[in-house]
Amino acid sequence: MAEFLKDEDRDKLKGLHRKTKEKKLADRIKCILALDSGFTYKEIKKMLLLDEVSINNYKKIYQENGIDKLLDVNYNGYSGKLSLAQEEELKDHLKKHLIRSAKGICEIVKQRFGKKYTLSWNGSSFT
Protein backbone atom coordinates (compact mmCIF):
# COMPACT_ATOMS: atom_id res chain seq x y z
CA MET A 1 0.00 0.00 0.00
CA ALA A 2 2.26 2.77 -1.25
CA GLU A 3 1.64 6.52 -1.14
CA PHE A 4 -1.21 6.81 1.31
CA LEU A 5 0.08 10.10 2.77
CA LYS A 6 -1.23 13.45 1.61
CA ASP A 7 1.55 15.62 0.18
CA GLU A 8 1.24 18.10 3.06
CA ASP A 9 1.50 15.31 5.66
CA ARG A 10 4.52 13.81 3.91
CA ASP A 11 6.24 17.22 3.88
CA LYS A 12 5.29 17.85 7.50
CA LEU A 13 6.67 14.46 8.60
CA LYS A 14 9.93 15.08 6.75
CA GLY A 15 10.28 18.46 8.44
CA LEU A 16 9.49 17.02 11.85
CA HIS A 17 12.02 14.25 11.29
CA ARG A 18 14.76 16.80 10.60
CA LYS A 19 13.89 18.69 13.81
CA THR A 20 13.31 15.87 16.28
CA LYS A 21 16.06 14.74 18.63
CA GLU A 22 14.05 11.85 20.07
CA LYS A 23 15.00 8.54 18.47
CA LYS A 24 11.62 6.98 19.19
CA LEU A 25 9.75 9.75 17.39
CA ALA A 26 12.21 9.72 14.49
CA ASP A 27 11.63 5.96 14.10
CA ARG A 28 7.86 6.45 14.06
CA ILE A 29 8.17 9.10 11.38
CA LYS A 30 10.58 7.01 9.28
CA CYS A 31 8.25 4.03 9.63
CA ILE A 32 5.28 5.92 8.21
CA LEU A 33 7.38 7.47 5.43
CA ALA A 34 8.81 4.06 4.53
CA LEU A 35 5.35 2.49 4.37
CA ASP A 36 4.23 5.38 2.19
CA SER A 37 7.22 4.73 -0.10
CA GLY A 38 6.19 1.12 -0.54
CA PHE A 39 8.63 -0.62 1.79
CA THR A 40 7.33 -3.88 3.24
CA TYR A 41 6.98 -4.58 6.95
CA LYS A 42 9.88 -7.01 6.65
CA GLU A 43 12.11 -4.37 5.06
CA ILE A 44 11.18 -1.74 7.65
CA LYS A 45 11.73 -4.24 10.46
CA LYS A 46 15.24 -4.90 9.20
CA MET A 47 16.03 -1.26 8.42
CA LEU A 48 14.70 0.37 11.61
CA LEU A 49 15.09 -2.59 14.01
CA LEU A 50 11.38 -2.46 14.87
CA ASP A 51 9.02 -5.37 15.35
CA GLU A 52 6.04 -5.82 13.04
CA VAL A 53 3.56 -5.15 15.86
CA SER A 54 5.08 -1.70 16.44
CA ILE A 55 5.09 -0.95 12.71
CA ASN A 56 1.44 -1.90 12.48
CA ASN A 57 0.59 0.13 15.61
CA TYR A 58 2.30 3.25 14.24
CA LYS A 59 0.44 2.89 10.94
CA LYS A 60 -2.87 2.40 12.71
CA ILE A 61 -2.30 5.38 15.04
CA TYR A 62 -1.45 7.59 12.08
CA GLN A 63 -4.39 6.45 9.97
CA GLU A 64 -6.94 6.74 12.79
CA ASN A 65 -5.63 9.84 14.59
CA GLY A 66 -3.08 11.68 12.44
CA ILE A 67 0.40 13.04 12.98
CA ASP A 68 -0.18 14.58 16.40
CA LYS A 69 -1.18 11.26 17.98
CA LEU A 70 1.63 9.43 16.17
CA LEU A 71 4.11 11.74 17.89
CA ASP A 72 2.35 11.69 21.26
CA VAL A 73 4.45 9.81 23.83
CA ASN A 74 2.34 8.95 26.87
CA TYR A 75 4.80 6.76 28.72
CA ASN A 76 4.97 7.76 32.39
CA GLY A 77 7.22 5.02 33.65
CA TYR A 78 6.73 2.75 36.64
CA SER A 79 6.59 4.58 39.93
CA GLY A 80 7.15 1.52 42.10
CA LYS A 81 5.23 -0.07 44.92
CA LEU A 82 6.66 1.95 47.79
CA SER A 83 5.47 5.39 48.82
CA LEU A 84 8.02 8.19 48.91
CA ALA A 85 8.14 7.93 52.70
CA GLN A 86 8.80 4.18 52.47
CA GLU A 87 11.53 4.77 49.88
CA GLU A 88 13.22 7.24 52.23
CA GLU A 89 12.94 4.80 55.13
CA LEU A 90 14.51 2.07 52.98
CA LYS A 91 17.35 4.40 51.91
CA ASP A 92 18.05 5.25 55.55
CA HIS A 93 18.07 1.55 56.45
CA LEU A 94 20.47 0.75 53.60
CA LYS A 95 22.82 3.54 54.64
CA LYS A 96 23.09 1.93 58.08
CA HIS A 97 23.11 -1.74 57.03
CA LEU A 98 25.16 -3.30 54.27
CA ILE A 99 22.99 -5.57 52.13
CA ARG A 100 25.05 -7.61 49.68
CA SER A 101 22.35 -8.67 47.23
CA ALA A 102 19.24 -7.46 45.48
CA LYS A 103 17.50 -10.53 46.85
CA GLY A 104 18.34 -9.35 50.36
CA ILE A 105 16.85 -5.94 49.65
CA CYS A 106 13.69 -7.59 48.30
CA GLU A 107 13.40 -9.50 51.60
CA ILE A 108 13.77 -6.34 53.67
CA VAL A 109 11.08 -4.59 51.61
CA LYS A 110 8.77 -7.57 52.11
CA GLN A 111 9.39 -7.70 55.88
CA ARG A 112 9.21 -3.96 56.55
CA PHE A 113 6.53 -2.85 54.11
CA GLY A 114 4.68 -6.01 53.07
CA LYS A 115 5.48 -5.35 49.40
CA LYS A 116 6.81 -8.07 47.12
CA TYR A 117 9.55 -7.30 44.63
CA THR A 118 11.21 -9.91 42.44
CA LEU A 119 14.49 -10.02 40.59
CA SER A 120 14.48 -9.39 36.86
CA TRP A 121 17.13 -10.70 34.45
CA ASN A 122 18.14 -8.43 31.56
CA GLY A 123 20.41 -10.94 29.85
CA SER A 124 23.67 -9.99 31.49
CA SER A 125 22.81 -9.09 35.09
CA PHE A 126 20.02 -8.92 37.59
CA THR A 127 18.06 -5.67 37.73
Side-chain angles (χ1 to χ4, degrees):
M1 178 184 186
E3 294 199 10
F4 58 89
L5 291 173
K6 297 176 189 167
D7 288 339
E8 65 234 31
D9 282 354
R10 188 178 301 109
D11 292 341
K12 184 176 181 178
L13 285 169
K14 287 177 181 179
L16 289 167
H17 183 264
R18 281 190 292 277
K19 292 178 185 175
T20 190
K21 293 180 181 177
E22 291 186 54
K23 180 189 173 305
K24 183 176 216 162
L25 297 181
D27 282 350
R28 290 179 184 189
I29 293 168
K30 287 185 283 194
C31 178
I32 297 301
L33 290 171
L35 287 168
D36 182 61
S37 294
F39 286 88
T40 66
Y41 278 50
K42 187 176 181 180
E43 291 168 328
I44 295 168
K45 179 180 174 179
K46 186 175 182 179
M47 181 173 41
L48 298 179
L49 305 175
L50 295 172
D51 60 272
E52 290 184 20
V53 171
S54 293
I55 296 167
N56 195 51
N57 285 341
Y58 298 156
K59 181 180 177 184
K60 184 177 178 183
I61 290 168
Y62 171 77
Q63 288 180 326
E64 292 178 2
N65 302 296
I67 293 173
D68 290 339
K69 279 292 183 188
L70 177 70
L71 303 180
D72 189 16
V73 180
N74 288 332
Y75 181 72
N76 293 325
Y78 176 65
S79 61
K81 297 177 183 179
L82 300 179
S83 68
L84 289 176
Q86 289 171 326
E87 285 181 20
E88 288 304 315
E89 185 179 332
L90 179 60
K91 286 178 192 176
D92 288 341
H93 179 82
L94 294 175
K95 285 177 187 174
K96 296 173 188 168
H97 303 90
L98 177 63
I99 309 298
R100 296 186 180 267
S101 68
K103 187 176 180 180
I105 295 171
C106 290
E107 276 301 312
I108 289 170
V109 169
K110 185 176 178 183
Q111 292 168 4
R112 292 179 80 107
F113 308 113
K115 308 281 181 159
K116 183 178 179 185
Y117 277 84
T118 58
L119 299 177
S120 164
W121 179 256
N122 72 8
S124 61
S125 63
F126 284 104
T127 58

